[in-house]
Amino acid sequence: WGSLESKKLNMKSDMLLKEGDSVMERPSIIDPAMSVVLIDDTHPDYSTHIENFKKLGSIYTIPENKSIYIHKKDPSFAKFNDNHLVVIEAVEIAKILSNKKDVMDEKYNDVLAAQILRNKGLKEAYKIIASNFLKKYGTSYGECADEFIPSMKQYLPERK
């Protein structure tokens, strides 16, 4: 999986350069088979997506379409930087992977996402998950990682 940290990540700005196009998307950094799609009112299927956003929140994934959808008009989107977008990708992909094994634990998904980021060499994105863990769950990232990582080996290739 090699390190991507040295490459300048401009995912948000690269997608926004396409603003005005009816579709703003790019391949996922975590899994290039997946697409990250920004949705606003210029998108051809906006009415369908807006209904999904109302039901599922400002980010949702359709694994069959290999797509992660982000509501661009959500106020929190303006606060996202490129590392936040990578964290979103990793968490959504972790949910897909763990769902296949019937694991529905949000802590497990966050630890899996952090480990995916760590193995990819995306240290800043990894730190976002790890540093917010205690506030989000009331337990440290390290404690949960010690508990969950042994069962995650099937999802994580060997680090280089």
Side-chain angles (χ1 to χ4, degrees):
W1 280 18
S3 174
L4 297 172
E5 195 73 23
S6 62
K7 296 179 184 173
K8 182 71 176 133
L9 299 178
N10 290 313
M11 284 112 13
K12 184 176 181 182
S13 55
D14 288 349
M15 286 193 316
L16 291 175
L17 286 175
K18 297 178 184 176
E19 196 157 11
D21 289 355
S22 60
V23 178
M24 292 174 275
E25 70 179 274
R26 66 161 172 75
S28 165
I29 297 299
I30 306 300
D31 178 357
M34 297 281 294
S35 292
V36 178
V37 184
L38 296 182
I39 303 294
D40 68 7
D41 55 9
T42 65
H43 193 280
D45 295 326
Y46 180 72
S47 59
T48 301
H49 288 291
I50 198 67
E51 289 307 313
N52 288 335
F53 289 131
K54 286 176 185 174
K55 286 185 248 175
L56 304 169
S58 62
I59 300 161
Y60 74 94
T61 302
I62 299 180
E64 306 79 48
N65 293 355
K66 296 194 174 291
S67 297
I68 300 167
Y69 299 101
I70 302 172
H71 190 219
K72 184 178 172 271
K73 298 293 184 184
D74 186 286
S76 61
F77 179 77
K79 299 174 189 171
F80 294 160
N81 64 33
D82 289 337
N83 285 313
H84 290 111
L85 288 177
V86 175
V87 167
I88 289 166
E89 288 178 45
V91 169
E92 293 302 312
I93 289 169
K95 288 178 191 176
I96 292 168
L97 291 172
S98 63
N99 231 359
K100 291 178 184 173
K101 298 291 182 191
D102 293 325
V103 177
M104 303 299 279
D105 186 331
E106 195 173 340
K107 282 189 277 190
Y108 185 94
N109 292 333
D110 281 357
V111 171
L112 178 56
Q115 290 305 303
I116 290 169
L117 293 167
R118 187 170 178 230
N119 283 4
K120 284 271 213 194
L122 296 164
K123 293 177 190 150
E124 293 305 312
Y126 165 84
K127 288 178 189 176
I128 289 171
I129 294 176
S131 66
N132 287 304
F133 219 82
L134 187 60
K135 186 168 100 178
K136 186 173 180 180
Y137 297 112
T139 185
S140 75
Y141 173 79
E143 287 178 62
C144 288
D146 289 346
E147 178 185 346
F148 293 137
I149 289 174
S151 67
M152 295 177 175
K153 298 296 185 201
Q154 72 240 20
Y155 306 124
L156 302 169
E158 293 297 315
R159 289 181 65 188
K160 293 182 180 180

